[in-house]
Amino acid sequence: MVTVNVHEAKTHLSRLLAEAEAGEDVVIARNGKPVAKLVPYAPKGRRQFGTLKGKIKIDERFFEPLPEEELKLWEGG
């Protein structure tokens, strides 16, 4: 992990971005105290419909009405 001060980060931003792309974490500090971390961007994968098909099962009780005591708790009572 690399730690740089704000002035150095502003001066060498392109180099620090390249380090982050390479997997290095870069900490940016102000007056010696860490304030931010520059890390590689990891985009979220696309969701694919049906990936849990056959892996989970919903019991029929899921569709039954809740008991009165539990229903009151859900409604803030």
Side-chain angles (χ1 to χ4, degrees), residues 4-6 10-11 33-34 45 47 52 58 65 68 74-75:
V4 296
N5 62 37
V6 175
K10 291 189 320 187
T11 304
K33 294 183 181 178
R47 293 182 183 178
L52 293 177
I58 297 176
E68 280 299 318
W74 278 102
E75 294 175 343

Side-chain angles (χ1 to χ4, degrees), residues 17-54:
L17 287 173
E19 289 182 25
E21 285 177 319
E24 184 76 32
D25 289 353
V26 179
V27 175
I28 301 173
R30 181 182 296 128
N31 297 324
K33 294 183 181 178
V35 294
K37 184 190 284 188
L38 186 60
V39 297
Y41 176 72
K44 294 181 180 179
R46 287 190 59 145
R47 293 182 183 178
Q48 187 173 4
F49 185 73
T51 56
L52 293 177
K53 187 174 183 176

